[in-house]
Amino acid sequence: MTLDLLTTHYNYYAVVLLLGIGLYTVIESPNLVKKVIGMNVFQTGIFLFFITLAYRAGGNPPVVTEGAGPYVSPLPHVLILTAIVVGVSLTAVALALVVRVYSEYGTLDEHTLEELYHD
C-alpha cells in the first residue's frame, strides 16, 4: 500500500522539486537573471500542482453526452492558461528591468548593486 502510494504520486515529487529549486534560486543567487529564471521554475511548479489537483481518474471532457460522466472540471486548466500568460508578461517586464539595471550600473550582481546604492 505505501509503496503503491509512493510510486503513483510521482508528480507531487516533481512539484516539490520544482518549488524547492525555484525558491532556492530566487533566495540564494546574487545574479538578477538567475533570480528571474528561479521565479519561472517556481511558477512551473505551481502550474504542475494545480493541473495535478485537477486530474480525475476516468474523467471525460466536459462535453455533455448520453452516459459520458464523470466529467473533468475545465476551470483549473483555464486558470493555468491565464497564469501562464501572466507569468510570461511578468518575465518580460522583469527581464526588461534587468536590462535597464545593467545598462545603468554595468552589473547584475545584487551585492554590488546594494553597495552602489548605499554609496
Side-chain angles (χ1 to χ4, degrees):
M1 171 87 178
T2 305
L3 187 58
D4 249 359
L5 187 65
L6 292 175
T7 58
T8 57
H9 291 60
Y10 56 88
N11 43 358
Y12 291 108
Y13 298 125
V15 167
V16 170
L17 184 68
L18 287 171
L19 291 176
I21 290 172
L23 188 63
Y24 178 78
T25 304
V26 168
I27 292 173
E28 288 297 319
S29 179
N31 189 322
L32 296 179
V33 174
K34 289 181 182 178
K35 285 183 181 286
V36 172
I37 292 170
M39 180 183 63
N40 282 327
V41 172
F42 191 84
Q43 285 177 350
T44 303
I46 292 172
F47 299 160
L48 181 62
F49 178 67
F50 276 108
I51 293 298
T52 298
L53 289 179
Y55 175 75
R56 185 170 185 176
N60 292 317
V63 178
V64 179
T65 57
E66 191 70 31
Y71 297 110
V72 176
S73 173
L75 184 62
H77 300 87
V78 172
L79 290 174
I80 294 305
L81 284 174
T82 305
I84 289 170
V85 171
V86 170
V88 168
S89 302
L90 181 66
T91 301
V93 169
L95 289 176
L97 288 172
V98 166
V99 168
R100 181 73 175 118
V101 165
Y102 185 76
S103 68
E104 184 71 26
Y105 298 105
T107 185
L108 294 177
D109 186 50
E110 183 179 2
H111 304 299
T112 307
L113 289 170
E114 285 178 2
E115 290 174 4
L116 290 172
Y117 181 72
H118 290 298
D119 288 342

